[in-house]
Amino acid sequence: MRTTPRWFPLKELPDFVDALAADSSGRDIAQWVDTLTLRIRGLLAQGRLASVLQPTDSDTLPLEDWLADHVGADQAANGPIAVIDLSLVPSEVTHIVVSVLARMIFEAVQRYRRETGQELPTTLVLEEAHTFVHRDLRGESAHPAARECARVFERIAREGRKFGLGLVLASQRPSEVSPTVLSQCNTFLLHRLVNDRDQDLVRRLVPDGLRSLLRELPSLPTKRAMLLGWAAPAPTLVEVQEIPEAHRPHSPDPAFWGVWTGDKERRIDWAVVARRWQRTDTGDVAEPDDS
């Protein structure tokens, strides 16, 4: 039997926990609950979490609007791609945020098929995939949030296809990705790989007669890659086309020499950074960690 969560004012949670503890006769439970409720009250008092813990009417985003923004509006009216930048989200909550987003999208396409009888072709692209589906996150010793994140993507890899949900993993360390997820991948685009463990993994993915073609992987030049799997009848060397500079990821090599020698200028105004970091800047510039 499935139950639907019911909304309640979060400020009532500490008092509710105290009331439950008062009805219990366990040894030392009062001291443990006092510490717990003190931490909860401390979290509720933090200004950074106010928009999440105590949202106002103006901050509330209807579910249908969130789905239109992140999964897609009718006929892709708002564009075919949604980019979620989590680069400034604290690392201790990144796994929680990513797992919730993945579960929301997965359930959205499931419910779409139930309502319409048709799949909604959707693809999740996971950058730095080894961070979220690392092979070591499958064990019970892993952090619960990280373990749950890995399990969500393993389920998507196993079951997402029948609901129209595809998964693209981008990683510089494929040997660290969960074997469960890798076993469900049917196409591989391999750029230069110099690590022995990564090369050994790739060799196991191709038939014996084609492994000699992978000897070029450690020396592949920039923008060249090896395509193999379902998308190519045989391993094929491809060249990745240039994209407009405005659309490129913000990940070029740092200009160490140019900046240190004065050829490239870098102005520093830590006051602006500090104000926005501490949310004291009331300007119109959007906060990066709100993306």
Side-chain angles (χ1 to χ4, degrees), residues 95 129-151 154 173-182 197:
H95 286 99
H130 54 272
T131 303
F132 308 104
V133 288
H134 198 287
R135 60 186 307 131
D136 293 341
L137 297 181
R138 304 169 68 220
E140 295 300 324
S141 60
H143 191 279
R147 185 169 63 246
E148 179 61 25
C149 184
R151 288 177 177 174
E154 287 180 349
R173 297 303 306 272
S175 62
E176 298 181 1
V177 176
S178 164
T180 301
V181 175
L182 282 177
R197 292 182 58 187

Side-chain angles (χ1 to χ4, degrees), residues 8 49 61 73 77-78 82 84 144-145 151 164 168 173 213 219 229-230 241 276 282 285 291:
F8 68 94
L49 299 178
L61 179 67
N78 58 342
I84 303 177
R151 288 177 177 174
V168 175
R173 297 303 306 272
L213 298 176
S219 58
W230 181 84
Q241 295 182 351
R276 295 178 182 174
T282 58
V285 179
S291 302

Side-chain angles (χ1 to χ4, degrees), residues 40-47 53-54:
I40 294 176
R41 289 188 173 93
L43 287 173
L44 298 181
Q46 291 185 15
L53 301 178
Q54 300 175 358

Side-chain angles (χ1 to χ4, degrees), residues 21-289:
D23 295 336
S24 301
S25 57
R27 183 179 180 182
D28 298 330
I29 191 171
Q31 182 179 359
W32 187 85
V33 169
D34 286 343
T35 303
L36 174 63
T37 54
L38 182 63
R39 294 181 61 184
I40 294 176
R41 289 188 173 93
L43 287 173
L44 298 181
Q46 291 185 15
R48 292 184 61 186
L49 299 178
S51 61
V52 177
L53 301 178
Q54 300 175 358
T56 62
D57 293 339
S58 60
D59 295 329
T60 302
L61 179 67
L63 178 59
E64 58 268 25
D65 292 344
W66 187 92
L67 293 173
D69 289 342
H70 295 82
V71 182
D74 191 25
Q75 301 299 320
N78 58 342
I81 299 175
V83 179
I84 303 177
D85 182 6
L86 302 177
S87 58
L88 292 182
V89 173
S91 58
E92 59 268 21
V93 300
T94 301
H95 286 99
I96 298 176
V97 173
V98 172
S99 60
V100 169
L101 290 172
R103 290 179 61 181
M104 288 283 292
I105 295 172
F106 186 32
E107 186 166 347
V109 297
Q110 285 179 304
R111 291 181 177 275
Y112 180 91
R113 196 183 75 162
R114 178 184 299 177
E115 296 294 331
T116 66
Q118 298 176 317
E119 298 83 10
L120 180 64
T122 307
T123 300
L124 270 174
V125 181
L126 190 61
E127 181 65 85
E128 301 291 348
H130 54 272
T131 303
F132 308 104
V133 288
H134 198 287
R135 60 186 307 131
D136 293 341
L137 297 181
R138 304 169 68 220
E140 295 300 324
S141 60
H143 191 279
R147 185 169 63 246
E148 179 61 25
C149 184
R151 288 177 177 174
V152 168
F153 285 104
E154 287 180 349
R155 184 185 177 194
I156 292 175
R158 292 193 305 265
E159 307 175 17
R161 191 176 296 109
K162 62 185 177 183
F163 299 105
L165 181 61
L167 185 62
V168 175
L169 306 176
S171 173
Q172 297 179 358
R173 297 303 306 272
S175 62
E176 298 181 1
V177 176
S178 164
T180 301
V181 175
L182 282 177
S183 65
Q184 300 297 320
C185 296
N186 54 26
T187 299
F188 297 87
L189 184 64
L190 307 172
H191 293 267
R192 181 169 58 243
L193 292 175
V194 296
N195 184 273
D196 293 339
R197 292 182 58 187
D198 296 330
Q199 294 179 33
D200 291 340
L201 172 67
V202 171
R203 291 190 184 96
R204 293 196 296 268
L205 298 175
V206 300
D208 295 341
L210 300 176
R211 292 182 180 178
S212 59
L213 298 176
L214 302 180
R215 295 176 182 172
E216 304 296 328
L217 283 179
S219 58
L220 280 178
T222 304
K223 299 193 299 182
R224 297 292 180 89
M226 188 77 70
L227 179 66
L228 62 140
W230 181 84
T236 305
L237 184 64
V238 299
E239 181 176 357
V240 181
Q241 295 182 351
E242 288 279 6
I243 61 176
E245 187 173 356
H247 296 162
R248 297 176 191 172
H250 298 293
S251 58
D253 295 335
F256 288 105
W257 184 254
V259 174
W260 290 346
T261 58
D263 291 340
K264 295 185 178 181
E265 185 180 16
R266 291 291 187 274
R267 294 185 178 275
I268 299 178
D269 188 350
W270 288 121
V272 174
V273 175
R275 285 198 302 270
R276 295 178 182 174
W277 194 343
Q278 297 172 322
R279 295 179 179 272
T280 58
D281 190 345
T282 58
D284 297 330
V285 179
E287 293 292 333
D289 54 350

